[in-house]
Amino acid sequence: MIPVAEFKQFTEQQPAFKVLKPWWDVLAEYLTVAMLMIGVFGCTLQVTQDKIICLPSHEPRENFSEAPCQQLLPQGVSEHMEGLRELSGLKNNLDLQQYSFINQLCYETALHWYAKYFPYLVVIHTLIFMVCTSFWFKFPGTSSKIEHFISILGKCFDSPWTTRALSQVSGENQKGAAASRATAITVAAAGTGSGKAGEGEKEKVLAEPEKVVTEPPAVTLLDKKEGEQAKALFEKVKKFRVHVEEGDILYTMYIRQTVLKVCKFLAILVYNLVYVEKISFLVACKVGTSEVTGYASFCCNHTKAHLFSKLAFCYISFVCVYGITCLYTLYWLFHRPLKEYSFRSVREETGMNDIPDVRNDFAFMLHLIDEYDSLYSKRFAVFLSEVSESRLKQLNLNHEWTPEKLRQKLQRNSRGRLELALCMLPGLPDTIFELSEVEALRLEAICDIAFPPGLSQLTNLQELSLLHSPARVPFSSQIFLRDRLKVIRVKCEELREVPLWVFGLRALEELHLEGLFPPELARAASLESLRELKQLKVLSLRSNAGKVPASVTDVAGHLQRLSLHNDGARLLALNSLKKLAVLRELELVACGLERIPHAIFSLGALQELDLKDNHLRSIEEILSFQHCRKLVTLRLWHNQIAYVPEHVRKLRGLEQLYLSHNKLETLPSQLGLCSSLRLLDVSHNGLHSLPPEVGLLQNLQHLALSYNALEALPDELFFCRKLRTLLLGYNHLGYLSPHVAALTALSRLELKGNRLEVLPEELGNCTGLKKAGLVVEDTLYQGLPTEVRAKMEEE
């Protein structure tokens, strides 16, 4: 016996693969099992029983027929038996070995090949059918995709997030449809109800919709681990979709194996119908063995002919049914657009309108899934929805960023406001809005922020920073921010990405924008209108504008500080600056300026001017600053200025002058006439000496001379008795005058990087100078007298 279990390996598949086997494949599988059993049964009979039994024919040679057994076929059994009785006394003179020899010889020569090999053919055909049915489950190019899909599908089906998402959506849809259903049921009940019985039925029907409203669907709660698993599933589904939608190898392989089964079915059906009649009970056998046995013709009995003929007709019947299923499969494959799959019904049922339609192999597998159970595709669609993914991210964020954890990140910013800074998060946690004490919110590199209505809980919010964090604000939240927000900072790739709602914040006092103008708008430098910002006092713009934005004039009447950082792009057409009548601070940083713009000299209220990182070579126009009578701070640092004109003396009200990182080699003596100067920074230049007139700066408190080429200091410098900070590091000084003792207010002295060999012990008279404020080499410090060092190290 050949056990059927031996053939199990041909049909063995993972149980999970059943979801990709429609009803016709299941039916075909059972049919192949039945056909396999027929073949195995026939093969077993071939082994366990005699195959053929032959008897010699006694026809004379001259009357010998080509078919010595044909005369027995039309006769009945009784006539046959009478013929045998007539020959009862005839001796054949054959022994048992001769009969066995004739039986084997006639089996090989006289019996038709179909009658001999029928059961083996059945087994071979059935195995081919089995291989064709499951080949795409075994082929490396398709099995890997199928296994991956089945794995993801099972996890999506069993994920708690799927149940939660569908429950939330069904709850929302249920509440929305409850009222309409109640109305329809009321009308129907009122029309059909009559009498007391009708009123009773009406009351019963009217009570039903109330249950729908008052019984919300059960929503499971997700812990952190389940949320992370669902998040990983979203990523797997995205990557799998991109990978599978690129080709149609699964669809093509399924068509090919189905076509092969149809061709095989037709071939089997044709030749079986032709040769099935060759299985006969009586077989005539003519062999050349007369010299051995004395007979040349024999009449043989095929012992299994009746059973094989019945098995053959049964097998043909199964093959016909199998072929019909294959033909139906071909009709299904070519009649329907299986390379496209629409989730329209799922979108209508769940309300997730962003579920995308899919194509190619992804679509084909979903069509097969629907033949098994459409619930799989419905639950799988949850992980194709970006809305569902955003809800999950929000839930995970809320689990990770608890209110207690957020409170630990609260700090005071430079303006003294209590600030919460969040960077590089996948979204905005809802728990933020439980911190009502937050005054400043800084969000950096957070994609696709959507402020919920809960934003109104931040009653103390005054400052908002959106750094590469595009934000959407609903209308209700815009109203909240409009009258409350004082400072906003927006940083983006292009200024066209600045949210429009920013320009409607009526209470805004400071607006800081950073981003490039797109090429088509770089010259125009247009922005959204600022005219609604009636309270705006500070405007900062960092971009590549070709000119001052025209919308600046909308707030020119009350703008007090304007900062333009142009990232090296040349800024032209500055005449519009004249309209800024009340401007107090102006920054034109990296604007490619080669001269000081004349429009600045018309700003009568200007107090601070910063022209950092431009291309200024000459500042002859500095004389015109005498018209800016309120100017107290002038920053001309990080330029290419080679000299300072003598008429700098006209700037009598100037208190701070920054000239560091230029190419100065000398300073004019007239600089000493700037009697109000409190800070002078000429570090990082090429100064070889200082004019003695620097001693006239009696109000000077901060003097920076670091990174120059000074070899000596004028003694007049130590007449500046109010000097608190003196930075002389990295020069060529070889001697420090003992007159330094006159600087009793000195609290910081930098001498490191010079050629000093010893420090004057008069440093001990600088009562405000302590060890922490003296920046010098350790050897020089240790060379000071012990009492001086002790005095400096006192608390």
Side-chain angles (χ1 to χ4, degrees), residues 169-235:
V169 172
S170 62
E172 294 172 0
N173 295 342
Q174 200 172 27
K175 291 180 181 179
S180 59
R181 288 202 304 269
T183 304
I185 294 173
T186 303
V187 174
T192 57
S194 59
K196 294 182 180 179
E199 292 177 359
E201 293 177 358
K202 185 191 303 184
E203 293 175 357
K204 182 178 179 181
V205 174
L206 287 173
E208 291 181 356
E210 296 180 1
K211 296 181 180 179
V212 176
V213 178
T214 57
E215 295 180 3
V219 179
T220 59
L221 296 177
L222 264 70
D223 57 23
K224 183 177 180 180
K225 181 179 179 181
E226 292 172 339
E228 291 298 328
Q229 291 175 349
K231 181 181 177 181
L233 275 178
F234 273 104
E235 294 299 324

Side-chain angles (χ1 to χ4, degrees), residues 39-71:
V40 172
F41 180 64
C43 292
T44 304
L45 291 177
Q46 288 281 65
V47 174
T48 58
Q49 295 184 8
D50 294 334
K51 300 176 182 178
I52 193 169
I53 301 175
C54 299
L55 292 176
S57 176
H58 297 281
E59 293 293 326
R61 289 185 179 277
E62 60 273 10
N63 296 329
F64 183 74
S65 172
E66 290 294 332
C69 297
Q70 295 298 325
Q71 59 182 352

